[in-house]
C-alpha cells in the first residue's frame, strides 16, 4: 500500500504478502484487489487466482494503511454444496467488484468455472453467500460443452445486472481416447504443433513406450533410450525427465514419430518451468497424460491406440446476468463478436477472447485483445425478461490493424 499524496514520490505504507512475518494473516498470493469505503472505514478485498478450493476472499481493514488488519477470510469451503461448478472445473477466484446497493454492500466474485458468486459483506466480519450463477450447458451460442472461465465481473449502477466475461485463450476442445476410452489430457500449443493444424484436426496411431532416461541419453543413438519407430504413424510415449519439452519434440521428430506423449502429473507452473522456448519450432504435436493413464499405455505398448481430436469451440465472450434475485441468477444475453464463433478458426495468430469491461448506464466498453476496443449497447435487456431474452448490439469499435495486438 503506497502513499500517493505526492505522485512523484510514492511512499510504502505497508506490505501484505503471504510471506510477511508481521502480517501472517495473508494466506494466499494476490491477483486482484478492490478498495471500498463503508462509513468511516476503508476496506481492501482481494482475490487469489489459485486453482484449488480454498478460502481465498480476504477483507482487510486499511483505515490505518500503516496497520492493515484482517476482518474476514472466506471461500468455497465455507459455502459447500450451495455452490455449483462445471464438472472437473477450476474453482479459483480471479476478479471482484464491490458495490453499495441501497445499504447492502455486495461483493461480486468471478470464480472461473463456478461463474459469478454474490456475497453480502454489509457486515465485513461475517460475509453471507447470496447465490451463484450456473453456466448454461450446452453453451447457448455454440451448442457445445460449457467451458466456464469467468474472468471479470462488473455490475450495473443499480446492481440488478452483472456483466461476466469469460477469458478463453485456447479456442479448441481436446479429447484423447486410448483404446476407445476417453482419458484426460492437455497440451501447450505455443510449443508444439497444435492438433487442429493436422489433417482432419486429429492425431491417431499406436503408442510406443520409449523407456525412461530419454533426456539423459539425449542424442546418444547407442543408448537403450534410442528407439526408432516400428510402425507408420507411431506416437512416442516418454516419462517426465525434467528436461525441456522442446528438446523432447526435436528428439521424436528427428526419429520420425508422428507425435509424443509425456507422462507427467502436470500443472501450469511445471509446464512453464519446462518450456525452453515460446517459439513453435517443431512440426510434431506433444501431449501430457497423468501417471495412471501413462501406466496403462506402457502396459499396452506398442499395441495401444491413441486418438486425439481437436474441435473449435470459440473464444471467450461476455454474458449479461440478471441478479435481481441473487438466489436465482438468470443469463439474459451474450456479448460476442463474429470472430468469437461464427467465422471459425482465426489464422492470423491473434487472440480473440474478451478481457475486461467498463459499464456506464446501459453501455459497455470491452478490451478484446486482437479485436481491440469494442462498444455494446444493452438497453434492450431487462431484469425479469428471462433466459436468453435479449441480444446486446455492438455500436462501435477501435482496432489497430497495423500494430501489435
Amino acid at each position: 500500500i503506497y502513499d500517493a499524496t505526492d505522485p512523484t514520490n510514492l511512499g510504502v505504507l505497508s506490505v501484505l504478502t503471504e510471506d510477511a512475518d508481521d502480517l501472517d494473516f495473508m494466506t494466499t498470493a494476490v491477483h486482484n484487489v478492490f478498495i471500498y469505503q463503508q462509513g468511516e472505514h476503508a476496506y481492501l478485498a482481494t482475490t487469489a487466482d489459485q486453482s484449488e478450493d480454498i478460502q481465498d476472499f480476504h477483507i482487510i481493514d486499511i483505515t490505518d494503511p500503516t496497520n492493515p488488519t484482517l476482518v474476514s477470510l472466506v471461500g468455497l469451503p465455507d459455502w459447500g454444496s450451495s455452490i455449483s461448478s462445471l464438472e472437473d472445473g477450476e474453482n479459483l477466484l480471479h476478479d471482484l467488484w464491490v458495490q453499495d446497493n441501497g445499504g447492502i454492500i455486495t461483493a461480486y466474485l468471478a470464480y472461473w468455472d463456478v461463474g459469478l458468486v454474490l456475497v453480502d459483506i454489509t457486515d465485513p466480519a461475517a460475509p453471507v453467500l447470496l447465490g451463484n450463477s450456473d453456466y448454461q450447458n450446452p453453451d447457448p451460442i455454440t451448442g457445445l460443452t460449457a467451458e466456464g472461465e469467468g474472468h471479470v465481473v462488473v455490475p450495473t449502477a443499480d446492481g440488478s445486472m452483472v456483466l461476466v466475461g469469460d477469458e478463453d485463450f485456447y479456442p479448441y476442445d481436446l479429447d484423447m481416447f486410448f483404446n476407445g476410452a476417453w482419458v484426460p489430457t492437455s497440451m501447450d500449443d505455443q510449443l508444439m504443433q497444435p492438433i487442429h493444424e493436422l489433417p482432419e484436426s486429429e492425431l491417431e496411431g499406436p503408442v510406443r513406450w520409449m523407456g525412461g532416461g530419454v533426456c539423459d541419453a539425449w542424442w546418444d543413438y547407442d543408448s537403450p533410450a534410442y528407439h526408432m519407430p516400428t510402425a507408420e504413424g507411431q506416437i512416442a510415449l516418454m516419462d517426465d525427465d525434467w528436461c525441456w519439452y522442446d528438446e523432447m519434440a526435436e528428439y521424436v521428430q528427428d526419429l520420425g514419430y508422428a507425435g509424443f506423449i509425456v507422462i507427467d502429473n502436470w500443472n501450469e507452473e511445471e509446464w512453464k518451468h519446462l518450456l525452453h522456448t515460446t517459439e513453435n519450432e517443431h512440426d510434431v504435436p506433444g501431449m501430457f497424460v497423468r501417471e495412471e493413464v501413462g501406466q496403462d499405455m506402457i502396459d499396452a505398448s506398442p499395441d495401444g491406440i491413441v486418438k486425439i481430436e481437436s474441435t473449435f469451440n470459440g473464444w471467450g465472450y461476455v454474458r449479461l446476468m440478471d441478479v435481481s434475485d441473487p438466489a436465482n441468477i438468470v443469463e439474459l444475453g451474450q456479448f460476442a463478436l463474429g470472430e468469437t464463433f461464427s467465422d471459425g478458426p482465426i489464422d492470423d495468430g491473434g487472440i480473440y477472447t474478451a478481457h475486461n469491461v467498463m459499464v456506464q448506464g446501459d453501455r459497455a466498453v470491452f478490451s478484446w485483445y486482437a479485436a481491440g476496443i469494442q462498444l455494446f449497447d444493452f438497453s434492450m435487456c431487462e431484469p425479469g425478461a428471462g433466459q436468453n431474452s435479449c441480444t446486446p448490439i455492438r455500436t462501435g469499435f477501435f482496432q489497430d490493424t497495423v500494430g501489435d495486438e
Side-chain angles (χ1 to χ4, degrees), residues 27 38 76 80-81 148 195 200 221 234 277 287 311 356 381:
T27 60
Q38 185 178 2
L76 295 181
S81 59
I195 299 295
E200 306 300 324
Y221 289 170
Q234 205 164 53
T277 174
M287 311 296 297
T311 304
N356 282 337
C381 302

Side-chain angles (χ1 to χ4, degrees), residues 179-193:
N179 288 339
W182 183 89
V183 294
T185 186
S186 193
M187 72 177 298
D188 190 308
D189 68 326
Q190 288 184 313
L191 178 64
M192 279 75 74
Q193 183 183 27

